[in-house]
């Protein structure tokens, strides 16, 4: 499984756009990229998933360059409630094996 | 739609005792996963059920851990006997469908069971 690397922490202010980049240099052809959000005392919650180019939903956008060796989660106009840990995972598309390790994630702190 | 529920939310037991964790997946979800975060470390995969069958149990740490999913509905994870290093948060997740083309359907997690072994 491709190992992912993302910043340990980020700080932002309400109303700003936040971009969290994840590196996955060894991503395989059939792998997908998935992002989860986790609040304290809760389980991770799915945010967005993509394979290539750009994916957008009501919560976030995911940008994936052509080489797919990295991806960027974009959160538009964050609020205090977006303070959480964000995990980038790579999932094997062929076998369905789920990322065995979530990694350390990125702890986002949004301030007023 | 009810989410993934886990019971109990907290459990404190003594070393050597037995504990059974329960997970009720979202209705209709064939895939059920167990993960755990031990001592503030990263969340790690334990095993994966497709209906009642164990698809992948490569993450199970040792034979003190036994997972079952009778009837393909709820699942239990038993730790017997519990050791201090088993303390942590145990998460259950489920996802829809089981055909290979849909393996990347999102995981829906429960809020976990916090296990403390003293």
């Amino acid at each position: 499984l491709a190992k992912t690397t993302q910043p340990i922490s980020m700080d932002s202010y309400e109303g700003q756009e936040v971009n969290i980049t994840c590196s996955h240099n060894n991503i395989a052809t059939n792998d997908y990229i998935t992002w989860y959000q986790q609040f304290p005392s809760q389980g991770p919650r799915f945010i967005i998933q993509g394979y290539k180019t750009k994916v957008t939903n009501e919560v976030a956008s995911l940008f994936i360059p052509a080489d797919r060796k990295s991806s960027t989660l974009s959160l538009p106009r964050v609020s205090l409630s977006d303070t959480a840990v964000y995990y980038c995972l790579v999932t094997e598309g062929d076998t369905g094996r789920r990322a065995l390790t979530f990694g350390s994630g990125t702890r986002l702190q949004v301030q007023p | 739609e009810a989410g993934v529920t886990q019971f109990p939310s907290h459990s404190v037991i003594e070393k050597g005792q037995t504990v059974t964790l329960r997970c009720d997946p979202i209705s209709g979800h064939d895939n059920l996963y167990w993960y755990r975060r031990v001592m503030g470390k990263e969340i790690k995969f334990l095993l994966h059920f497709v209906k009642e069958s164990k698809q992948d149990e490569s993450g199970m740490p040792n034979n003190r851990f036994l997972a079952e999913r009778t009837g393909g509905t709820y699942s239990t994870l038993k730790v017997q006997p519990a050791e201090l290093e088993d303390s942590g948060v145990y998460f259950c997740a489920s996802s829809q469908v089981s055909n290979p083309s849909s393996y990347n359907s999102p995981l829906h997690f429960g809020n976990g069971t916090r296990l403390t072994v003293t």
Side-chain angles (χ1 to χ4, degrees):
Chain A
L1 292 171
K3 178 179 172 62
T4 60
T5 303
Q6 51 185 125
I8 296 296
S9 64
M10 294 183 69
D11 292 309
S12 183
Y13 292 94
E14 283 190 291
Q16 289 188 332
E17 178 184 76
V18 171
N19 296 308
I20 306 175
T21 297
C22 177
S23 297
H24 26 80
N25 291 318
N26 296 322
I27 190 168
T29 302
N30 295 316
D31 288 344
Y32 286 76
I33 301 151
T34 310
W35 285 80
Y36 285 83
Q37 173 192 57
Q38 186 178 28
F39 298 112
S41 301
Q42 294 186 19
R45 183 175 71 99
F46 170 82
I47 302 176
I48 196 166
Q49 181 181 88
Y51 182 78
K52 61 180 178 180
T53 62
K54 176 184 175 181
V55 179
T56 298
N57 61 23
E58 64 278 6
V59 177
S61 294
L62 179 60
F63 298 91
I64 305 169
D67 65 6
R68 303 199 328 122
K69 294 184 182 298
S70 66
S71 59
T72 299
L73 174 72
S74 181
L75 305 172
R77 298 179 298 281
V78 295
S79 63
L80 296 177
S81 62
D82 292 317
T83 294
V85 178
Y86 293 82
Y87 295 98
C88 165
L89 289 80
V90 172
T91 309
E92 290 184 14
D94 279 349
T95 66
R97 281 169 59 89
R98 299 297 165 160
L100 301 187
T101 303
F102 268 60
S104 58
T106 298
R107 187 173 299 277
L108 173 65
Q109 180 68 51
V110 180
Q111 300 179 8
Chain B
E1 175 186 79
V4 176
T5 57
Q6 294 186 245
F7 182 83
S9 57
H10 294 82
S11 179
V12 180
I13 61 173
E14 293 183 352
K15 176 183 174 181
Q17 290 185 323
T18 297
V19 64
T20 300
L21 314 181
R22 173 170 170 143
C23 169
D24 285 78
I26 292 173
S27 178
H29 281 192
D30 288 341
N31 294 300
L32 188 149
Y33 305 82
W34 284 97
Y35 285 79
R36 74 170 181 175
R37 171 184 277 140
V38 176
M39 294 298 291
K41 295 185 177 178
E42 299 168 345
I43 299 173
K44 290 193 174 182
F45 168 87
L46 294 178
L47 88 161
H48 170 205
F49 284 99
V50 176
K51 297 184 180 179
E52 68 276 9
S53 300
K54 292 177 183 176
Q55 182 78 5
D56 180 356
E57 51 184 330
S58 61
M60 294 288 265
N62 52 60
N63 58 12
R64 295 186 294 103
F65 289 76
L66 175 63
E68 295 180 323
R69 192 183 183 194
T70 306
T73 54
Y74 71 91
S75 175
T76 58
L77 179 64
K78 180 191 289 187
V79 185
Q80 179 182 30
E83 298 289 346
L84 299 178
E85 64 264 26
D86 300 332
S87 296
V89 182
Y90 290 76
F91 292 104
C92 173
S94 69
S95 69
Q96 284 184 312
V97 300
S98 58
N99 66 74
S101 64
S102 300
Y103 263 128
N104 279 289
S105 53
L107 300 184
H108 299 262
F109 282 82
N111 287 330
T113 293
R114 181 173 294 278
L115 174 64
T116 302
V117 182
T118 63

